[in-house]
Amino acid sequence: MKAWKPLVAGVAVLAVAGATAWHFRFDLIVMLAKARQPKIEANMPVTWAKGPQAPPADGQRPPNVVFILADDLGYNDITLNGGGVAGGTVPTPAIDSIAKEGVTFANGYSGNATCAPSRAAIMTGRYATRFGFEFTPTPVAFSRVVGGHAGDPLHPSRFNQAEVKNMPKDENVLAVPAAEVTIAEALKTKGYHTIHLGKWHLGGVKGSRPEDQGFDESLGFMAGASLFAPVGDPGVVESRQDWDPIDKFLWGAAPFAVQFNGGKLFNPSHYMTDYLTDEAVKAIDANKNRPFFMYLAYNAVHTPLQAPKADYDALSHIKDHRMRVYAAMVRNLDRNVGKVLQALKDRGLDDNTLVIFTSDNGGANYIGLPDINKPYRGWKATFFEGGIKVPFLLRWPEQLPAGAVYRSPVGHVDIFATAAGAAGAPTPKDRVLDGVDLVPFVKGQAAGDPHKAIFWRSGGYKTVLAGGWKLQVAKEPNKTWLFDLATDPTERQELSKARPEKLREMQAIMAQLDGQMMKPTWPSLVSGAFYIDHPGGQKAKPSDEYIYWEN
């Protein structure tokens, strides 16, 4: 954070509007971001700590837990859910196989509509708003640039200058608090070896890093995004979305780097998704004779859009370049998920491993592709179904039926309790846990729905799902949406005026849950408009529905 301060004042005096000022300001912020990066070393070999030479003599061991998290994967990006990428012409057989050999949660919901709060909910089994992690941690200078860019003339982005004084000076605060218990910490109480690979985004300084939050080993990056390969790599095909300030920032400033156990930053040896998978397979091999928990958090398919040329070339039937690059990234992700699943089978670990697959939130509007969350409305950074309904799959051959579909709403907050239940690990009793162990519900050992209600909040925008009804309330625009998902799962018929008694009931549930949450630990500095029914890069009309997302 300190490295940003020298340029903040200079950035502040530049004009807020106007293309020339915007590009000048943007160049400054990119220069600063590059300047503050530590030196990135050449590739370094990673040696994973080895477990016992042989499995237990009695053959008895707890199940392994492998949790695979995609980044910004749209609900419709996998062929299991319809296959929105290029009209379903890009199959995802590996991801689909988790469902065919396990359980599909047809109504699986993310912890939040953006990545960092969602990951905080996953890791703790609690709404992130219970412990103040309401917004994605973002440097002040970058928020100032994004909030002041020459964007949508109907509903421009805004920077909240008045809240700058309330930003914590200590970077340790911009993280999941150390007092929270993570999945890794819970499983370590039962002797699990815990491994993190890929994206973290829950704190990047000592005290909040993966190795400080229960992980024995960590290979990845602490920030919210990374390049998949060096810019201009001849083996990679790129697509840029010039209308989006964050995309522009990532191309200019995001590093292609990882670090192992908090050591020096270094370049991966090859394309990021392939590299993380190859290291995950090595880590599985090193731990094949002891119980392990692996959190494999890919940054695919988040921007910047970079795909291996071989995957791009294999999709010559797709004529739109941007769609083809994105589809190639989905193809690559699926193949790598398949490599992890095959590694478990090859080492005889398949039947006794709980595999969990999901995405941190819905597909993003800023890639400019219209069908990635089809048939649902909305995107990442909205609480419409497209922003929070995600692929949610469990596979555990020894315990779960193959090809099962579970339809009651479940959420990311359930991953903690489900993993702990599989491991036989205790869960904290001194705090509210919002999640439950899903295995007994799938097996018919627990009756009823796992949740009476599921709650989301980001600033003045709040949502509750209960009894098949969904209420969204936005501060800006000052608007209420009430939907009966049982009859209207794609949120087309707004019923707040037609069903006032149901509105009051849902408002009471929302108020009760909202009252349990903490005030945000750090303020929202920037807000921007997200249109519900069309992706970025398209000209908006005054009649288009939108929400302002605070961060």
Side-chain angles (χ1 to χ4, degrees), residues 80 93-106 341 345 350-351 353-357 391-407 418 438-439 441-443:
L80 177 74
I95 296 171
D96 295 352
S97 75
I98 302 173
K100 291 175 183 176
E101 299 169 9
V103 182
T104 299
F105 292 88
L341 299 176
K345 293 178 182 178
D350 185 50
D351 287 346
T353 297
L354 170 62
V355 175
I356 305 168
F357 178 88
F392 199 121
L393 313 173
L394 260 62
R395 180 187 181 280
W396 186 7
E398 282 193 359
Q399 294 291 330
L400 295 176
V405 178
Y406 188 82
R407 300 194 180 279
T418 302
L438 296 175
V439 170
F441 287 92
V442 172
K443 296 174 73 172

Side-chain angles (χ1 to χ4, degrees), residues 112 117 128-129 132-136 457-459 518-522 551:
N112 199 276
T129 41
F133 200 117
E134 190 148 348
F135 309 115
T136 297
R457 186 180 81 187
S458 186
M518 263 184 65
K519 179 182 177 182
T521 304
W522 59 90
N551 189 69

Side-chain angles (χ1 to χ4, degrees), residues 446-498:
D449 293 332
H451 301 282
K452 292 182 179 179
I454 302 177
F455 176 75
W456 297 265
R457 186 180 81 187
S458 186
Y461 183 28
K462 305 169 188 178
T463 297
V464 69
L465 173 66
W469 286 79
K470 183 177 174 187
L471 174 66
Q472 299 188 62
V473 177
K475 182 179 178 181
E476 189 173 8
N478 182 11
K479 191 163 183 178
T480 296
W481 295 269
L482 178 67
F483 299 107
D484 178 4
L485 295 186
T487 60
D488 181 26
T490 59
E491 300 173 294
R492 305 288 172 178
Q493 187 177 3
E494 201 284 300
L495 298 172
S496 61
K497 291 183 175 59

Side-chain angles (χ1 to χ4, degrees), residues 145-160:
V145 169
V146 172
H149 80 93
D152 181 4
L154 288 175
H155 308 291
S157 299
R158 291 192 293 267
F159 176 71
N160 193 349

Side-chain angles (χ1 to χ4, degrees), residues 45-60:
V46 172
T47 302
W48 297 95
K50 287 189 174 294
Q53 291 296 312
D58 61 3
Q60 300 299 311

Side-chain angles (χ1 to χ4, degrees), residues 30-98:
V30 169
M31 288 169 55
L32 177 59
K34 287 183 175 179
R36 74 191 294 260
Q37 290 176 4
K39 180 182 178 183
I40 299 174
E41 307 288 342
N43 180 253
M44 300 179 182
V46 172
T47 302
W48 297 95
K50 287 189 174 294
Q53 291 296 312
D58 61 3
Q60 300 299 311
R61 56 181 284 178
N64 306 304
V65 179
V66 174
F67 171 37
I68 304 173
L69 183 64
D71 196 347
D72 287 5
L73 187 71
Y75 179 87
N76 197 38
D77 282 341
I78 61 175
T79 41
L80 177 74
N81 291 337
V85 180
T89 62
V90 183
T92 53
I95 296 171
D96 295 352
S97 75
I98 302 173

Side-chain angles (χ1 to χ4, degrees), residues 120 208 271 434 539:
S208 61
Y271 183 77
D434 296 297
K539 186 176 180 180

